[in-house]
């Protein structure tokens, strides 16, 4: 988990920066596992932190960071590449609904009345639309788009 108490027993520091970690999540009544147990891991069953020897192999959870965003895939179009069918959420809204931004200039947006529009922003033309039974629905799942 990137924490060690090698410099001072029971004082947990970030392994990279040496900064003291103010929040540790050892169970109440936790006893130090012993000398040379200077790494922390999260127990896979209890979720509690435990200190162990750094090279000891254990089944445990790890903490990671990823830089991916969720994407939607619009299936059924004859696009030049697979990437042309992927859409991500934009931080702005129209008609109270999010805009889905394609990677190659297309957008999907709501008209506010239950219809979603697939729009080519480069050519300023509507490619397709999807009419749903309610304005509360989103263009997610199996639906039939009408191509223009």
């Amino acid at each position: 988990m990137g924490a060690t108490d090698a410099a001072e027993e029971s004082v947990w520091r970030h392994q990279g920066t040496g900064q003291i970690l103010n929040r540790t999540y050892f169970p109440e009544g936790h006893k130090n596992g012993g000398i040379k147990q200077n790494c922390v891991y999260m127990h896979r069953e209890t979720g509690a932190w435990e200190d162990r020897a750094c090279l000891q192999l254990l089944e445990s959870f790890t903490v990671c960071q990823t830089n991916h965003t969720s994407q939607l895939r619009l299936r059924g179009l004859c696009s030049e590449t697979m990437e042309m069918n992927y859409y991500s959420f934009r931080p702005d809204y129209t008609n109270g609904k999010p805009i889905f931004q394609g990677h190659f200039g297309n957008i999907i947006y709501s008209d506010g009345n239950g219809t979603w529009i697939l729009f080519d922003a480069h050519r300023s033309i509507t490619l397709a639309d999807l009419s749903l039974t309610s304005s509360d629905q989103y263009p997610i799942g199996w639906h039939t788009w009408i191509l223009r």
Side-chain angles (χ1 to χ4, degrees):
M1 294 194 43
T4 182
D5 70 345
E8 184 180 346
E9 194 62 40
S10 297
V11 177
W12 292 94
R13 297 176 183 273
H14 184 277
Q15 281 183 316
T17 65
Q19 182 176 9
I20 294 176
L21 301 175
N22 293 324
R23 294 185 179 158
T24 55
Y25 301 96
F26 290 100
E28 192 168 321
H30 168 77
K31 302 277 189 208
N32 182 19
I35 299 172
K36 298 197 187 227
Q37 293 193 351
N38 296 324
C39 287
V40 68
Y41 87 107
M42 182 182 288
H43 192 277
R44 77 179 275 150
E45 292 176 8
T46 66
W49 286 16
E50 294 188 13
D51 52 340
R52 297 290 176 160
C54 295
L55 298 177
Q56 184 178 358
L57 297 177
L58 298 167
E59 286 191 16
S60 61
F61 289 120
T62 58
V63 179
C64 355
Q65 178 178 346
T66 60
N67 292 325
H68 87 291
T69 58
S70 296
Q71 296 184 1
L72 299 176
R73 179 176 162 205
L74 185 60
R75 296 179 183 205
L77 296 178
C78 297
S79 302
E80 293 177 33
T81 67
M82 178 74 76
E83 291 78 15
M84 294 177 85
N85 298 324
Y86 285 95
Y87 293 80
S88 300
F89 288 104
R90 279 188 15 190
D92 49 335
Y93 286 67
T94 185
N95 298 312
K97 301 289 184 203
I99 296 172
F100 300 93
Q101 175 71 53
H103 298 285
F104 290 86
N106 293 346
I107 61 171
I108 298 172
Y109 67 92
S110 171
D111 72 352
N113 297 312
T115 299
W116 289 84
I117 310 296
L118 173 59
F119 187 76
D120 182 333
H122 291 303
R123 296 185 293 165
S124 295
I125 60 171
T126 298
L127 300 174
D129 58 67
L130 167 66
S131 294
L132 299 173
T133 57
S134 167
S135 62
D136 292 333
Q137 292 180 309
Y138 289 84
I140 298 171
W142 292 91
H143 298 289
T144 302
W145 289 79
I146 305 300
L147 298 177
R148 303 270 176 130

